[in-house]
Amino acid sequence: MAIETEIKFRIADLANLAQRLEAAGFRVETPRSFESNVLYDTPDRQMRTRTEILRIRNYAGRWTLTHKRMPAGAPGESRHKHRIETETAISDGDALSSVFLSLGLVAAFRYEKWRTEWHDGEGHCVIDETPIGNYAELEGPPEWIDRTAKRLGVDPAEYLTLSYGRLFDLWRQQHGSSVEDLTFATVSQSAPLQ
């Protein structure tokens, strides 16, 4: 079982961040590609209550099944987000979705983004263009995250450990929106970006 450790931060200028990444020795691993995600849960949201996710993702034409949950013991620090992540490639996300639905799960949340993946040989930085703004994620060992954030000019006070689901909940509260999914079509009809 792998433990995923990451932080997010907001991006004001995508081109500027790309320049800083290149200057820091990062190279593009996956060029800007569309990503669509569906989280599955029981009708009464038992998985969300346990802070678990079960996700089918289609990214750059590849399907992936992911399960994430909180580690049993405390990670020893709270500045970074820690999750146990089990992930595997699948050949047909639509077929697996049909299986989940027939087992009584529901498509509880959909979210989309345009993602560009960068790497420096030790960790990853992904740039996510979402319907509610642009974010970057640094994923790797905690020491690498802090060292890389400093090289990129990101202050630890800017670190976010919230999921896109929680960021969307906050956005909906701020905008008084009742949209249920974080997709480009639903958000653009709900409220202008700020």
Side-chain angles (χ1 to χ4, degrees):
M1 270 180 271
I3 294 188
E4 171 191 67
T5 303
E6 68 179 28
I7 58 103
K8 288 182 180 66
F9 58 93
R10 287 184 172 83
I11 306 170
D13 185 335
L14 291 170
N16 179 270
L17 178 58
Q19 290 172 350
R20 287 185 284 157
L21 287 167
E22 286 179 356
F26 280 80
R27 297 294 169 250
V28 172
E29 184 173 28
T30 306
R32 184 178 186 264
S33 301
F34 185 71
E35 177 181 305
S36 177
N37 301 273
V38 181
L39 301 185
Y40 292 85
D41 204 337
T42 60
D44 59 353
R45 306 298 191 263
Q46 289 179 24
M47 291 185 71
R48 182 177 179 149
T49 301
R50 295 188 312 258
T51 62
E52 291 183 51
I53 68 155
L54 180 63
R55 177 183 68 207
I56 295 177
R57 167 178 283 169
N58 187 316
Y59 172 53
R62 297 181 305 269
W63 291 100
T64 308
L65 173 65
T66 306
H67 176 259
K68 292 185 184 187
R69 64 183 172 87
M70 300 289 287
E77 56 90 19
S78 61
R79 189 156 76 173
H80 308 96
K81 177 179 166 185
H82 302 274
R83 298 289 181 271
I84 294 174
E85 179 180 76
T86 306
E87 191 167 76
T88 189
I90 54 175
S91 62
D92 189 340
D94 292 329
L96 185 56
S97 174
S98 294
V99 171
F100 286 173
L101 296 174
S102 71
L103 292 172
L105 298 177
V106 296
F109 179 57
R110 297 174 193 280
Y111 64 105
E112 299 173 336
K113 54 192 165 184
W114 287 91
R115 172 169 272 190
T116 306
E117 291 182 284
W118 296 72
H119 72 93
D120 71 349
E122 188 176 352
H124 287 84
C125 179
V126 297
I127 297 175
D128 289 334
E129 301 167 56
T130 82
I132 59 171
N134 300 323
Y135 297 87
E137 293 181 0
L138 293 176
E139 182 178 339
E143 305 79 27
W144 175 87
I145 290 172
D146 293 336
R147 189 175 63 247
T148 302
K150 185 175 183 178
R151 284 190 336 202
L152 296 175
V154 178
D155 189 285
E158 298 175 65
Y159 288 12
L160 300 169
T161 57
L162 300 175
S163 68
Y164 282 116
R166 275 300 294 138
L167 290 169
F168 182 52
D169 287 343
L170 295 172
W171 180 89
R172 289 188 316 163
Q173 291 170 6
Q174 179 184 11
H175 291 85
S177 176
S178 62
V179 295
E180 295 294 320
D181 291 320
L182 178 54
T183 64
F184 289 97
T186 57
V187 169
S188 68
Q189 295 170 5
S190 174
L193 285 177
Q194 293 187 1

